[in-house]
Amino acid sequence: MKIVIGCDHAAYELKEAVKAKLEGEGYEVMDVGCHSTESVDYPKYGHAVGKAVASGEADRGIAICGTGIGISIAANKVPGVRAGVVHNVMTAEMTKAHNDANVLCFGARVVDQDTAFAMVDTWLSTEFMGDKHLRRINEIEDLDF
Ligand code: RB5
């Protein structure tokens, strides 16, 4: 499985740790930056993660900023992306089981590294439940604006 990962400066160190963990487990990881703790703006990194997933270049995406919120809003601008912000193992499980999230978002200023690793493990190993949950995500796709 190929995983695209992106972050802003607030999450650079956590992004590097998650990337190393995934590579150590045999995942192919595509890193779209950022590449230091120098201040950057999160929208382009969320967009880059979302585009890689929506285009099929990557199977799944992980996007991390200070809270996970800004970068998730950016990722969710890309049609076909379902980016969910999670805070613990329970929400990481639910965002796959119920929302079929193809991008996992969290905050480096919110969770510690052990929690981040556990959330990533859970999201990667959880199956989408389909059925009424598929109907609901299709309803999201069909919303007009
Ligand atoms: C950066 O200071 C911070 O605003 C950003 O990482 C993120 O939390 C935005 O949602």
Side-chain angles (χ1 to χ4, degrees):
M1 182 188 292
K2 184 170 176 180
I3 300 174
V4 57
I5 192 165
C7 69
D8 73 358
H9 57 284
Y12 168 71
E13 285 161 7
L14 184 56
K15 182 264 286 178
E16 289 295 302
V18 171
K19 180 173 132 184
K21 164 192 160 52
L22 291 171
E23 287 175 339
E25 292 168 350
Y27 290 98
E28 184 181 353
V29 181
M30 173 185 170
D31 184 351
V32 295
C34 68
H35 300 292
S36 78
T37 56
E38 187 180 336
S39 183
V40 292
D41 296 335
Y42 58 79
K44 83 170 187 183
Y45 301 100
H47 181 242
V49 169
K51 264 185 78 174
V53 171
S55 69
E57 194 178 356
D59 301 297
R60 303 262 200 113
I62 296 173
I64 322 169
C65 64
T67 60
I69 298 170
I71 205 160
S72 74
I73 294 170
N76 274 315
K77 288 276 286 188
V78 182
V81 167
R82 288 179 302 281
V85 185
V86 299
H87 301 91
N88 50 40
V89 166
M90 186 271 187
T91 50
E93 180 182 353
M94 288 300 105
T95 206
K96 185 70 178 95
H98 286 195
N99 314 124
D100 199 21
N102 49 14
V103 175
L104 186 73
C105 303
F106 47 88
R109 294 173 178 160
V110 179
V111 298
D112 61 19
Q113 181 177 295
D114 287 348
T115 303
F117 283 11
M119 294 190 307
V120 168
D121 288 344
T122 298
W123 173 69
L124 286 171
S125 61
T126 299
E127 296 287 327
F128 176 49
M129 291 172 69
D131 192 44
K132 65 187 177 189
H133 304 291
L134 177 60
R135 183 181 73 238
R136 289 165 184 165
I137 65 172
N138 285 336
E139 287 175 15
I140 295 172
E141 287 297 315
D142 292 344
L143 292 172
D144 59 7
F145 50 90

